[in-house]
């Protein structure tokens, strides 16, 4: 690999979204809008343009701190897999609810996750509570119509009408889920729980494609290859990079290889019994010299396991662990009270803040990282881990897959 501290004139960024059914152009528009806002606040320049290539993405020219840098940003898409996993009707969604709750409760994962951060666990319980409340309301409607019809001597007709009305009410709730996100979140947590922490075959195949893209870029004329994993995309990035290094696909004289994880939810998967491959990959990647790994979360993000060292809390920290460097985006310091007030009850907005502008910017700046003239190692090489980080190994399941096992 090239010198980690070298300046960057040409960068390739691979962005892995979390569990998100929305097309990738959303991320381009988010980058365009928030990048312009951050540039105005911080006094630098970002210019976006279309990008050629087989992946969706964009090109950005950054003029930051006296350096001019050209970055090509690719979105590694798995929204189609997410969409397929969400194509479940009302009845099947409630079956997914029952299965997911049973797996997390019966394995003890839920109680152990509560020892780390209550926020993301409450976020996981939220869709269960909302969906059960909707079901209860629908059942009360069925009972009410049946009871009233029974008083008129038409109980059977009332029961039939009540069932139709209850079903239509549940359909109405589902149609309004764009505001409540209960169905979306239920399918999110159900996606990992269905395989008890293992990756589904279709996702493994897509991750292999992502790895091939990154391996190819490492042979090209770039100064830095930066892999960014947000939310669920963080643990996908862990396994992709671990496989890449194991396969010997990181050239000694190639570009600097950097890894940025944002708002990770690693314990939601690594605490499940069959997450053996992920636990193995976490332990492996945490000692590697080929990368610089920065993990950024914030206690103000209730959907992430903020400041939790994903290696240590998963119970697989090896001797000689050096990654990740865990720091806080410190929302209470980097966002004005007015800005924080606009996100008070917007939990998803806070979960995406890592990709957005800060009106009181600190050390962490997504746009300087992806479009500035320094590698991740140069920018954060002297940073110290957050003193508030959590390293409690509360995981019951620490068995890891053998090397070479899928």
């Amino acid at each position: 690999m090239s010198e980690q501290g070298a300046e960057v004139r040409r960068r390739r960024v691979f962005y892995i979204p979390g569990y998100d059914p929305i097309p990738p152009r959303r991320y381009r528009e988010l980058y365009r809008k928030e990048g312009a806002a951050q540039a105005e606040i911080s006094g630098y320049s970002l210019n976006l343009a279309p990008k050629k290539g087989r992946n969706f993405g964009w090109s950005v020219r950054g003029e930051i701190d006296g350096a001019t840098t050209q970055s090509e940003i690719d979105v590694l898409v798995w929204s189609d897999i997410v969409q397929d996993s969400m194509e479940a009707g009302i009845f099947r969604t409630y079956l997914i609810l029952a299965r997911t709750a049973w797996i997390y409760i019966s394995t003890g994962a839920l109680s152990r996750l509560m020892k780390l951060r209550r926020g993301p666990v409450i976020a996981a319980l939220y869709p269960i509570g909302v969906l059960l409340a909707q079901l209860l309301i629908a059942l009360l409607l069925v009972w009410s119509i049946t009871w009233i019809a029974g008083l008129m001597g038409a109980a059977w007709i009332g029961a039939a009408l009540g069932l139709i009305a209850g079903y239509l009410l549940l359909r109405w709730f589902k149609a309004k889920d764009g505001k409540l996100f209960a169905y979306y979140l239920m399918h999110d947590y159900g996606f990992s729980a269905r395989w008890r922490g293992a990756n589904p075959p279709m996702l493994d195949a897509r991750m292999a494609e992502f790895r091939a893209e990154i391996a190819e870029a490492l042979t090209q004329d770039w100064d830095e290859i930066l892999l960014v994993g947000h939310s669920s995309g963080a643990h996908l990035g862990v396994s992709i990079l671990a496989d890449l290094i194991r396969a010997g696909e990181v050239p000694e004289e190639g570009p600097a290889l950097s890894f940025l994880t944002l708002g990770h939810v690693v314990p939601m998967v690594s605490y499940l019994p069959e997450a053996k491959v992920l636990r193995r990959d976490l332990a492996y990647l945490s000692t590697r010299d080929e990368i610089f790994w920065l993990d950024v979360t914030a206690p103000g993000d209730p959907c992430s396991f903020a400041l939790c060292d994903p290696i240590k809390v998963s119970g697989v920290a090896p001797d000689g662990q050096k990654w990740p460097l865990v720091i806080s985006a410190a929302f209470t310091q980097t966002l004005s009270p007015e800005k924080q007030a606009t996100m008070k009850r917007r939990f998803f907005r806070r979960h995406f803040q890592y990709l957005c502008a800060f009106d009181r910017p600190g050390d962490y700046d997504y746009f300087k990282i992806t479009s500035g003239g320094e590698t991740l190692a140069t920018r954060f090489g002297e940073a110290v881990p957050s003193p508030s980080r959590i390293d409690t190994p509360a995981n019951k399941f620490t068995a890891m897959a053998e090397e070479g096992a899928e």
Side-chain angles (χ1 to χ4, degrees):
M1 293 180 60
S2 63
E3 181 63 35
Q4 291 271 6
E7 63 180 2
V8 179
R9 292 293 175 263
R10 299 183 72 250
R11 175 188 289 109
R12 186 80 177 274
V13 181
F14 294 95
Y15 173 75
I16 307 178
Y19 184 91
D20 191 346
I22 297 177
R25 62 178 56 89
R26 166 194 184 182
Y27 294 99
R28 179 188 61 195
E29 292 309 304
L30 183 67
Y31 195 100
R32 179 191 59 77
K33 176 183 175 182
E34 296 295 330
Q38 191 68 73
E40 183 177 356
I41 291 167
S42 300
Y44 53 73
S45 173
L46 295 176
N47 292 289
L48 271 66
K51 183 190 74 69
K52 296 181 180 180
R54 54 182 173 267
N55 295 323
F56 178 85
W58 58 94
S59 175
V60 56
R61 177 185 174 90
E63 296 180 7
I64 300 174
D65 297 332
T68 300
T69 304
Q70 191 72 30
S71 295
E72 301 289 324
I73 301 178
D74 292 61
V75 180
L76 298 180
V77 177
W78 60 294
S79 56
D80 56 320
I81 296 175
V82 174
Q83 290 167 3
D84 289 344
S85 74
M86 293 180 67
E87 288 183 355
I90 295 170
F91 179 70
R92 187 178 163 203
T93 297
Y94 279 95
L95 290 179
I96 291 171
L97 183 157
R99 180 183 65 203
T100 302
W102 169 251
I103 289 172
Y104 274 102
I105 293 171
S106 66
T107 61
L110 185 66
S111 61
R112 289 176 171 82
L113 289 168
M114 288 288 286
K115 296 178 181 179
L116 300 179
R117 286 284 185 188
R118 293 187 178 182
V121 177
I122 292 172
L125 294 174
Y126 164 79
I128 295 176
V130 171
L131 289 172
L132 289 179
Q134 291 177 358
L135 180 61
L136 178 60
I137 293 170
L139 290 174
L140 286 173
L141 178 63
V142 173
W143 177 82
S144 298
I145 294 175
T146 303
W147 180 71
I148 293 172
L151 295 178
M152 297 184 293
W156 287 106
I157 295 175
L161 292 175
L163 288 171
I164 293 171
Y167 174 70
L168 291 175
L169 179 60
L170 288 175
R171 284 191 61 179
W172 184 82
F173 282 137
K174 189 173 187 294
K176 298 296 181 181
D177 198 59
K179 295 183 178 180
L180 296 176
F181 299 106
Y183 278 83
Y184 164 74
L185 285 171
M186 193 68 258
H187 289 295
D188 185 355
Y189 298 119
F191 185 75
S192 297
R194 178 180 177 184
W195 286 274
R196 298 167 68 87
N199 285 331
M202 72 287 286
L203 185 55
D204 271 333
R206 189 64 54 85
M207 290 165 64
E209 295 175 8
F210 294 168
R211 187 189 106 192
E213 296 270 358
I214 299 168
E216 181 182 359
L218 283 165
T219 66
Q220 298 171 345
D221 184 24
W222 303 99
D223 298 314
E224 181 182 36
I225 302 299
L226 172 63
L227 179 63
V228 180
H230 175 245
S231 194
S232 301
H235 67 258
L236 300 188
V238 167
S239 290
I240 289 168
L241 285 182
D243 285 345
L244 184 82
I245 296 171
R246 279 196 205 94
E249 294 174 330
V250 181
E252 291 185 7
E253 300 301 324
L257 179 57
S258 305
F259 186 32
L260 174 64
T261 48
L262 304 171
H264 81 79
V265 291
V266 168
M268 288 300 297
V269 182
S270 67
Y271 274 47
L272 292 172
E274 296 305 316
K276 297 176 182 178
V277 169
L278 175 58
R279 290 191 289 266
R280 177 200 65 188
D281 294 342
L282 285 165
Y284 178 81
L285 200 64
S286 71
T287 64
R288 303 306 302 183
D289 294 327
E290 293 90 342
I291 63 168
F292 184 93
W293 178 3
L294 178 71
D295 179 72
V296 183
T297 51
D301 170 16
C303 297
S304 75
F305 281 86
L307 302 183
C308 288
D309 181 323
I311 318 298
K312 285 187 170 66
V313 300
S314 296
V316 294
D319 293 337
Q321 177 191 350
K322 59 189 298 186
W323 308 119
L325 171 61
V326 177
I327 68 169
S328 176
F331 290 172
T332 57
Q333 301 171 34
T334 55
L335 297 172
S336 66
E338 295 78 15
K339 183 87 168 182
Q340 292 180 60
T342 65
M343 297 188 286
K344 186 173 182 180
R345 293 181 177 83
R346 299 171 64 193
F347 300 138
F348 278 112
R349 176 60 181 80
R350 279 191 265 167
H351 191 46
F352 276 86
Q353 177 57 40
Y354 311 99
L355 310 175
C356 298
F358 290 82
D359 59 352
R360 293 183 176 177
D363 293 335
Y364 173 75
D365 180 327
Y366 182 63
F367 305 99
K368 281 188 175 182
I369 290 172
T370 55
S371 300
E374 296 178 313
T375 65
L376 199 64
T378 301
R379 191 173 296 279
F380 291 96
E382 301 300 321
V384 296
S386 170
S388 302
R389 68 189 183 281
I390 298 172
D391 55 12
T392 305
N395 192 7
K396 173 183 177 182
F397 303 104
T398 57
M400 294 183 278
E402 296 181 1
E403 291 295 330
E406 296 295 331

